[in-house]
Amino acid sequence: MSTPSGTVSQSLYAAQQKVYPREVSGRFARLRVIAMIALLGLFYALPWATWDGHQALLFDLPARKFYVFGLTFFPQDFFLLTVLLIIAAISLFFFTALAGRLWCGYACPQTVWTEIFMWMEQFAEGKRQQRMKLDRAPWSVEKLARKAAKQAMWIPFALFTGYTFVGYFTPIRELSASVLTLSLGGWETFWILFYGFATYGNAGYMREQVCKYMCPYARFQGAMFDRNTLVIAYDTARGDPRGSRPRGVDPKSRGLGDCIDCNICVQVCPTGIDIRKGLQMDCIACAACIDACDNVMDQMKYPRGLIKYTTQNATDKKPTRVLRPRTIIYGVLLTILVSGFAVAVATRTLVELDVLRDRNALYRTLDDGRIENVYTLRFINKDGQAHEFKLSTTDLPKGAEVDTDVSTVRVNAGQVASLPVRVRVPAGSVAGSVKFGLSAEAIDDRDVSITAKARFIAPAGS
Amino acid sequence: MQAVAAASDKLARPAWWRVRRDLGPVLWSAFLAACVATMLFFALFDPVLLMRDDSPPKWLADRRTGYAAGFFFFWMTTTIAALLTAWLIDTRTSDDGS
């Protein structure tokens, strides 16, 4: 009979011990701040960049067009997006196999926004001890003022984040104009509040619980780890047995290791774990404990690196290999996909033609006995310049004619144009149905042409 | 004895205990699946073209509304699937390990 695990599974959902991370300084903290400023700066600034008179990065969902600097993508390019997502996934695998949870520690939006929300919290409520004291204390004017000050920073920042996020999908300059004139549309308002609330909740309150209970990557990243993966580890052989000692005393004389058991590595941990218990799923590899421990080692005049980036092999005094089947396979896959993606983007057809059959009638018999089919042509011009197209048909019986309202169709850069087309063939020249080609050639540039297949339907056996 | 203890734990649990415990993962996993479904579906189908023939209700005629309606429809469907899964695997019995 096994032990009742009810308490274990319940603990996942029971009230959590709030983590009060202690502030930390050092090499990796600096690196994390640089990454945070770069990534957040990029996020908040990019929607304001323009390119060729349009927003440089705009995923215009209402118009079904994605602008990425000089390129315009349409839903027809969806497979490119799929390839891009696969590239992103394999990059994640590749870097995880090489260097562990680099993504979690430095680049994940959850980490980055949590970090900046914690800055604001610290600014309003003070350092770790002060925050803990404040939370334990009964409500007072000071507590109210400090909590209100925190919310006064969090809420506008979260709303601005939501607003910027929506700015990737709706032109941000128009969006700012409608915010200023209070004429924001219903959906924009909804999504700004939705993303604002998500930021506020995730970075302000959920924090490490997102990594522990919600993030799928945190659950499966262990599968990419091996003995050569860079992890953050405590050097048990050097540190144990732990214990406090006066400064300047040789720990060996007291039977102690280098760890003075100050617990600072636990206090700085944003997920509230003890790295000295070994590699854990909860560790997001932010390296805060390395900085904290290095500072303590410096004070004690011990060598740094009691907690450090290392590999399982290095810990076991075996050589660490960067090149190994796992990294080679991921690397080769990544190279193939990235170069394939680059070629596909560079050589993609800049003009597309869709033929939609008229849905109401299969065919129409004219007074003079000729048979007519009606189509709607959709021209998609992904090129950076306008084109003017002339139509022609192939594989239709002699005497066939193409009738349109205009002789040429002008499609502006990045635009879609529709054109109704009537195709007529002489009586009796087609029985049943035939396939034929509809071609559009740009009269301004003979290299730009496109052919689409269509079906012509006539009465059977006429 | 332990099984009895586990069983009485179960009885002592407040009403809605299981729903409360399962709802978070159910909604979250359904949300992720709905995001993927929405992206794939609307990459292939334009909500405006989908509605052209059958005269959509006026409130659905806008693409934005179409996307949002599609997303919430997918989220509802995936939530039903996730809820049923959580219900059918009977998360109650795993407690005493039997």
Side-chain angles (χ1 to χ4, degrees):
Chain A
M1 204 184 293
S2 60
T3 54
S5 57
T7 49
V8 173
S9 58
Q10 238 184 319
S11 74
L12 283 177
Y13 304 92
Q16 290 281 330
Q17 281 282 318
K18 190 173 169 187
V19 179
Y20 295 89
R22 183 190 173 115
E23 50 291 335
V24 66
S25 61
R27 293 176 286 166
F28 297 109
R30 247 189 324 275
L31 205 59
R32 232 172 21 252
V33 169
I34 292 171
M36 182 188 88
I37 291 172
L39 291 170
L40 285 184
L42 214 59
F43 174 80
Y44 290 107
L46 253 186
W48 297 95
T50 51
W51 188 283
D52 264 354
H54 62 76
Q55 191 170 323
L57 204 59
L58 177 65
F59 306 108
D60 193 346
L61 290 174
R64 295 176 75 75
K65 266 186 279 189
F66 287 4
Y67 297 101
V68 182
F69 298 98
L71 302 170
T72 310
F73 294 96
F74 287 81
Q76 283 77 5
D77 298 316
F78 183 71
F79 90 100
L80 288 174
L81 181 67
T82 318
V83 176
L84 205 59
L85 290 176
I86 296 172
I87 289 176
I90 293 182
S91 311
L92 193 62
F93 296 172
F94 180 67
F95 287 110
T96 305
L98 269 185
R101 295 174 71 171
L102 272 189
W103 166 260
C104 300
Y106 298 92
C108 177
Q110 178 63 27
T111 307
V112 169
W113 264 286
T114 298
E115 179 113 5
I116 197 158
F117 268 61
M118 281 209 250
W119 277 14
M120 296 181 206
E121 188 170 70
Q122 202 179 316
F123 186 78
E125 298 183 1
K127 299 193 167 190
R128 179 170 191 264
Q129 292 300 333
Q130 293 167 300
R131 293 203 301 271
M132 291 167 91
K133 209 174 132 202
L134 189 72
D135 277 2
R136 276 196 307 268
W139 281 98
S140 64
V141 175
E142 194 208 341
K143 182 167 178 175
L144 194 69
R146 286 188 180 276
K147 293 276 174 192
K150 178 174 80 175
Q151 298 297 337
M153 287 186 277
W154 277 8
I155 293 172
F157 191 76
L159 283 175
F160 184 66
T161 307
Y163 158 79
T164 306
F165 192 83
V166 172
Y168 280 92
F169 300 93
T170 304
I172 197 160
R173 281 155 211 277
E174 292 169 30
L175 199 65
S176 65
S178 29
V179 168
L180 291 176
T181 58
L182 299 176
S183 57
L184 209 55
W187 281 118
E188 277 96 351
T189 314
F190 172 78
W191 289 118
I192 288 176
L193 292 177
F194 186 93
Y195 290 116
F197 179 73
T199 310
Y200 176 81
N202 283 334
Y205 294 98
M206 312 266 285
R207 295 193 177 167
E208 79 287 349
Q209 299 187 41
V210 173
C211 313
K212 282 158 114 173
Y213 306 124
M214 287 169 75
C215 177
Y217 170 68
R219 297 287 171 98
F220 68 71
Q221 42 83 23
M224 268 90 72
F225 274 50
D226 56 30
R227 303 182 65 84
N228 293 301
T229 300
L230 206 58
V231 293
I232 291 172
Y234 163 75
D235 191 342
T236 314
R238 187 187 141 192
D240 280 10
R242 307 165 200 163
S244 57
R245 78 286 314 262
R247 212 173 287 189
V249 168
D250 180 19
K252 287 198 192 76
S253 68
R254 301 203 171 192
L256 291 173
D258 277 359
C259 175
I260 63 166
D261 212 8
C262 63
N263 253 7
I264 291 180
C265 57
V266 180
Q267 292 172 12
V268 297
C269 180
T271 66
I273 59 169
D274 185 348
I275 193 70
R276 295 171 299 177
K277 289 180 182 160
L279 185 62
Q280 294 150 69
M281 197 208 87
D282 300 359
C283 174
I284 59 167
C286 67
C289 51
I290 300 184
D291 282 334
C293 191
D294 280 353
N295 291 340
V296 172
M297 291 294 112
D298 288 354
Q299 282 172 26
M300 296 299 293
K301 306 229 164 29
Y302 295 164
R304 288 183 166 196
L306 182 56
I307 302 174
K308 64 176 176 203
Y309 274 113
T310 183
T311 67
Q312 185 67 46
N313 273 343
T315 308
D316 297 346
K317 308 264 185 294
K318 288 181 193 157
T320 295
R321 286 180 307 147
V322 172
L323 282 181
R324 50 193 197 269
R326 190 188 289 267
T327 52
I328 293 172
I329 291 170
Y330 287 149
V332 167
L333 266 178
L334 207 53
T335 315
I336 294 173
L337 281 167
V338 169
S339 39
F341 181 77
V343 169
V345 169
T347 61
R348 75 200 174 112
T349 50
L350 289 175
V351 175
E352 283 195 33
L353 180 63
D354 288 343
V355 183
L356 308 168
R357 277 195 62 86
D358 181 31
R359 292 200 225 174
N360 295 322
L362 287 176
Y363 60 84
R364 200 160 74 91
T365 310
L366 301 183
D367 291 344
D368 56 10
R370 289 186 302 166
I371 310 295
E372 181 184 86
N373 278 201
V374 180
Y375 307 86
T376 304
L377 299 192
R378 243 158 45 97
F379 295 84
I380 302 161
N381 184 6
K382 303 178 195 170
D383 206 352
Q385 64 192 72
H387 287 299
E388 192 141 4
F389 295 102
K390 202 167 145 1
L391 276 181
S392 60
T393 55
T394 51
D395 307 324
L396 267 185
K398 209 164 148 9
E401 70 162 1
V402 180
D403 178 31
T404 55
D405 299 336
V406 286
S407 57
T408 60
V409 195
R410 188 183 158 81
V411 192
N412 285 327
Q415 295 297 313
V416 178
S418 295
L419 177 74
V421 172
R422 294 165 291 278
V423 178
R424 303 186 188 110
V425 299
S429 62
V430 172
S433 82
V434 288
K435 271 194 177 159
F436 70 103
L438 264 165
S439 301
E441 188 183 44
I443 52 178
D444 46 288
D445 182 353
R446 302 233 163 241
D447 289 337
V448 178
S449 72
I450 181 88
T451 303
K453 288 276 172 220
R455 186 171 285 281
F456 191 93
I457 297 181
S462 66
Chain B
M1 279 306 286
Q2 278 168 328
V4 174
S8 62
D9 270 3
K10 232 184 276 177
L11 289 175
R13 272 173 204 151
W16 295 101
W17 176 83
R18 186 178 165 195
V19 172
R20 274 217 318 266
R21 194 194 55 175
D22 290 353
L23 207 60
V26 160
L27 284 176
W28 173 239
S29 57
F31 175 85
L32 290 180
C35 286
V36 175
T38 309
M39 204 173 75
L40 286 173
F41 185 81
F42 288 117
L44 294 174
F45 302 102
D46 181 348
V48 170
L49 290 180
L50 275 182
M51 296 294 175
R52 196 167 57 179
D53 282 0
D54 310 305
S55 62
K58 273 227 171 65
W59 59 269
L60 247 181
D62 176 32
R63 269 200 190 121
R64 263 173 257 243
T65 319
Y67 293 140
F71 170 72
F72 285 113
F73 170 76
F74 281 125
W75 197 8
M76 192 184 71
T77 317
T78 48
T79 301
I80 292 171
L83 264 180
L84 273 177
T85 308
W87 190 251
L88 289 176
I89 57 175
D90 196 359
T91 40
R92 281 170 307 175
T93 53
S94 61
D95 293 2
D96 53 13
S98 60

